[in-house]
Amino acid sequence: MPMVLLECDKDIPEREQHVYIKATGEDTTMFLPASNVPTIPGTLSERGCSFCGAKLVIGGVLKDTIQLIHGPIGCAYDTWHTKRYPSDNDNFQLKYAWSSGMKEQHVIFGGEKQLKKSIQEAFDAMPESKRMFIYTTCATALIGDDPRAVARTVMEERPDVDIFVVECPGFAGVSQSKGHHVLNIAWMNEKVGTKEPEIVSPYTINFIGDYNIQGDTYLLQEYWEKLGIQVISHFTGNATYDELCGMHRAQLNVVNCARSAGYIANELKKRYAIPRLDIDAWGFSYMAAGLRKIGAFFGIEDKVEELIEEEYAKHKPALDWYKERLTGKKMAIWTGGPRLWHWTRAVEEDLGVEVVAMSSKFGHQEDFEKVIARGRVGAVYIDDANEKEFFEVVDMVKPDVIFTGPRVGELVKKLHIPYINGHAYHNGPYMGFAGFVNLARDMYNAVKSPLWGLAGKDVREVA
Amino acid sequence: MQEKIDALVGYIQQKCLWQFFSRAWDREENIAGVLDRTRDLLLGATPPVDTDIDRCHLADAKTLSAELRSEFPWVAGMRPDQLGALFQGVKETMMEIAVAKSRNGELYVSYY
């Protein structure tokens, strides 16, 4: 079946290039949704801005770094606390939000003095942190403030601090994806190679594209420790600023989220000849395959088999319990991009769940190549879906559960369909073996809960 | 032979992420690097490894060859010339899907 123009899109026919239903015998050389292109005016898109992609997804995860957002307070507030990535230093990065608090007078007369004052205040108030990211936002980019110059001045006055500037205002690209790109490349150009890590193991990796959502990094760290693998840099779950400066010393880049962090892995391969190994950290069979590849790279296959055997013994019975009860359930995944292809086969193979619709907010065509290759025939694949499309697709495929973000989740709740937070999880972590059991438990609890049905009833009639 | 090629291509499409790297040259390097080594392993030969990138391809090839032995038992019964022809066909098809006929407009963007 070619690209599809949904009924709700009849007045915006351009949307046909973004909606695909897979048919038997088709592959991605025949049809591939347009993606990473500007949202069509008139469509109620769910995308975030480019600044958000840099701050909320990657930079804001760092546990020892002040995240100073140079702009109006809303840019800081709206990218604070909406994603749960804890850290082992009492969640420094989640407890505070920092903003230069731009007002009209700063827009008119320039905001650099206000920025410098805010930087000094932040370092004075939090002397335990000597590292800072500064982000430009739409307002400060448009008036031409030069945060790099301000940062240089502060670093001259305070030689013990280091500041990294991310120049990616909200309007820089079509979605969050631009922010990932800008931060990856700028960090590579300016910071990688500036510090030498202490090497304590013959096996060293960078684990790239994991943001410690509800403890994913902690869970995987247990595996690395059991295998004797030193993670030089976690990009960026539970990581420090300085740890990320030493990425050039790893022997292998293991990549989970290729969309938000594939760029830095590509550059490390090009500039330092460090190989890139992409894995899926969600799902039993995928996680096992990823570990086996890492084991084969380092020649520690026996240790890996021992670990997998141990983890299967501990967690497979629980997974099977859920599989028995979830088999045949229909699921929709409406998230950013990569979780579509990470999850579509994993839930089918490990839990017997059929993924019937997938939508990506900021995925590129590379992501659609992956998900269409892995996804089911008859499933709906959408780029940058709008609200009406969500409603129409729900009617078409009738999912039992939807994994999505809080914004779309609110729509879904009103339809009385179980919703799981596919970005920040309900009760994670979801990565690794134990994590996938958590995902299965959340899915089971959602689809079996009577509340969704009761919410649609008039209590007077029930009584 | 075409059926066998299609079966392996279908499996690789679903399982392997190395075919989907961001740039055309990366995809070509991975397809050749992993599939040649997978063929060598299935033939009982020792694949060449000169660099860390070769070592990474070998790691992927070890996993893939083990999976192919288990999912497609007929692979083990093939003669070396048949296996060579099979993998040549798989490689050509993968190059076609992932590179030559790919509709991914970003494959040749230098700054991706």
Side-chain angles (χ1 to χ4, degrees):
Chain A
M1 188 183 286
M3 309 306 287
V4 176
L5 183 65
L6 296 172
E7 180 60 29
C8 63
D9 287 334
K10 61 182 190 307
D11 294 324
I12 38 176
E14 299 94 328
R15 287 293 304 160
E16 185 175 351
Q17 295 310 309
H18 300 263
V19 185
Y20 171 65
I21 299 177
K22 185 174 172 180
T24 306
E26 287 181 358
D27 66 38
T28 51
T29 64
M30 299 169 192
F31 303 104
L32 193 63
S35 52
N36 194 38
V37 293
T39 298
I40 296 155
T43 167
L44 283 167
S45 174
E46 295 289 337
R47 278 172 161 173
C49 76
S50 300
F51 152 72
C52 173
K55 196 273 170 183
L56 181 67
V57 176
I58 306 177
V61 185
L62 293 176
K63 66 182 175 187
D64 65 344
T65 304
I66 293 169
Q67 305 284 328
L68 185 54
I69 291 138
H70 185 33
I73 188 72
C75 299
Y77 186 79
D78 291 338
T79 54
W80 176 49
H81 249 188
T82 57
K83 218 167 194 180
R84 290 166 287 180
Y85 29 65
S87 62
D88 58 11
N89 62 344
D90 200 23
N91 305 309
F92 174 77
Q93 76 289 358
L94 290 180
K95 284 196 295 191
Y96 305 104
W98 301 266
S99 169
S100 61
M102 291 281 287
K103 299 285 188 301
E104 192 177 12
Q105 58 174 313
H106 306 119
V107 172
I108 295 166
F109 297 109
E112 290 178 6
K113 281 184 191 161
Q114 175 70 6
L115 174 61
K116 188 174 177 190
K117 187 166 159 267
S118 304
I119 298 171
Q120 303 283 27
E121 276 177 10
F123 278 131
D124 288 343
M126 295 171 177
E128 72 274 23
S129 179
K130 302 293 181 194
R131 300 289 180 261
M132 177 181 283
F133 273 32
I134 297 174
Y135 299 86
T136 53
T137 58
C138 296
T140 50
L142 284 169
I143 63 173
D145 274 4
D146 186 353
R148 283 177 196 279
V150 178
R152 270 198 303 274
T153 312
V154 174
M155 284 192 283
E156 279 165 18
E157 292 170 13
R158 292 174 176 256
D160 59 341
V161 306
D162 199 29
I163 302 173
F164 174 68
V165 178
V166 185
E167 294 198 87
C168 187
F171 59 76
V174 301
S175 72
Q176 296 98 311
S177 183
K178 184 67 176 180
H180 309 150
H181 186 195
V182 169
L183 196 150
N184 272 242
I185 300 298
W187 188 264
M188 187 72 213
N189 288 341
E190 295 172 32
K191 293 296 173 193
V192 173
T194 60
K195 291 202 187 301
E196 289 301 323
E198 187 192 353
I199 306 294
V200 295
S201 165
Y203 318 121
T204 55
I205 64 170
N206 294 316
F207 195 75
I208 293 177
D210 152 42
Y211 303 103
N212 199 26
I213 306 293
Q214 289 200 27
D216 279 341
T217 309
Y218 302 154
L219 196 150
L220 296 184
Q221 185 61 28
E222 289 174 18
Y223 302 164
W224 313 133
E225 282 170 14
K226 279 184 186 165
L227 296 171
I229 292 172
Q230 178 187 358
V231 181
I232 289 188
S233 304
H234 293 92
F235 192 91
T236 53
N238 195 38
T240 64
Y241 185 105
D242 288 1
E243 154 185 345
L244 294 179
C245 296
M247 296 183 87
H248 60 297
R249 290 300 180 205
Q251 293 159 288
L252 179 67
N253 289 314
V254 181
V255 178
N256 179 65
C257 181
R259 180 71 283 128
S260 63
Y263 311 106
I264 203 158
N266 283 348
E267 291 303 305
L268 285 162
K269 181 180 173 190
K270 199 164 76 181
R271 299 186 205 185
Y272 293 97
I274 306 171
R276 167 181 165 174
L277 179 70
D278 286 29
I279 68 160
D280 301 272
W282 289 281
F284 271 52
S285 44
Y286 277 151
M287 188 75 244
L291 289 170
R292 286 192 172 106
K293 288 174 191 177
I294 296 165
F297 182 83
F298 289 119
I300 52 170
E301 289 97 330
D302 291 351
K303 278 174 139 182
V304 166
E305 290 307 325
E306 209 176 291
L307 171 69
I308 292 171
E309 203 180 312
E310 209 176 282
E311 290 294 309
Y312 264 67
K314 234 189 285 178
H315 302 295
K316 189 72 170 30
L319 186 85
D320 290 342
W321 190 93
Y322 287 116
K323 183 175 185 177
E324 206 183 312
R325 289 153 180 85
L326 289 170
T327 294
K329 294 291 178 201
K330 293 194 288 184
M331 168 184 181
I333 308 171
W334 292 342
T335 54
R339 290 185 193 186
L340 279 57
W341 46 265
H342 279 303
W343 287 350
T344 187
R345 299 275 328 153
V347 296
E348 182 151 348
E349 286 179 14
D350 290 343
L351 296 171
V353 171
E354 297 171 11
V355 178
V356 289
M358 286 173 276
S359 164
S360 151
K361 278 198 265 192
F362 55 75
H364 293 215
Q365 287 185 304
E366 178 185 312
D367 297 285
F368 277 101
E369 286 181 299
K370 291 175 189 173
V371 71
I372 291 170
R374 289 180 164 190
R376 292 174 70 84
V377 164
V380 187
Y381 305 78
I382 312 183
D383 167 69
D384 187 21
N386 63 49
E387 287 188 11
K388 288 191 166 184
E389 288 169 351
F390 285 130
F391 287 128
E392 190 169 331
V393 169
V394 163
D395 280 344
M396 282 166 65
V397 301
K398 301 197 171 11
D400 297 298
V401 61
I402 299 179
F403 278 60
T404 187
R407 273 176 287 176
V408 184
E410 287 303 312
L411 297 181
V412 169
K413 280 193 228 170
K414 288 172 188 171
L415 298 173
H416 309 134
I417 299 170
Y419 138 70
I420 304 278
N421 189 332
H423 296 302
Y425 309 155
H426 266 25
N427 301 286
Y430 284 174
M431 282 186 184
F433 303 100
F436 214 62
V437 174
N438 292 338
L439 180 146
R441 180 205 53 215
D442 283 351
M443 195 189 296
Y444 173 82
N445 288 348
V447 300
K448 298 290 182 188
S449 169
L451 291 175
W452 302 100
L454 289 172
K457 294 191 190 308
D458 186 324
V459 286
R460 293 165 301 177
E461 290 169 14
V462 174
Chain B
M1 179 61 82
Q2 191 56 47
E3 269 180 28
K4 289 187 165 72
I5 291 171
D6 291 344
L8 261 52
V9 167
Y11 185 82
I12 290 166
Q13 276 261 283
Q14 285 196 351
K15 291 279 182 178
C16 303
L17 292 171
W18 42 259
Q19 66 194 297
F20 297 115
F21 275 29
S22 319
R23 299 161 292 195
W25 65 264
D26 246 347
R27 292 184 177 194
E28 287 168 3
E29 188 180 280
N30 286 352
I31 290 168
V34 177
L35 290 179
D36 285 351
R37 287 177 176 81
T38 304
R39 179 205 55 211
D40 290 351
L41 289 171
L42 290 170
L43 285 169
T46 307
V49 175
D50 297 320
T51 66
D52 279 348
I53 289 171
D54 292 345
R55 197 145 65 101
C56 188
H57 289 151
L58 179 60
D60 264 312
K62 281 184 177 173
T63 310
L64 181 60
S65 56
E67 289 173 359
L68 294 183
R69 278 196 194 101
S70 144
E71 296 287 325
F72 306 99
W74 43 261
V75 167
M78 290 180 96
R79 293 193 315 266
D81 61 317
Q82 290 172 323
L83 207 61
L86 173 69
F87 271 80
Q88 186 57 30
V90 171
K91 211 158 75 172
E92 283 167 11
T93 312
M94 292 306 308
M95 290 283 189
E96 201 173 280
I97 294 173
V99 185
K101 288 187 179 172
S102 170
R103 302 172 78 89
N104 181 346
E106 293 182 341
L107 270 190
Y108 297 95
V109 176
S110 61
Y111 203 51
Y112 55 95

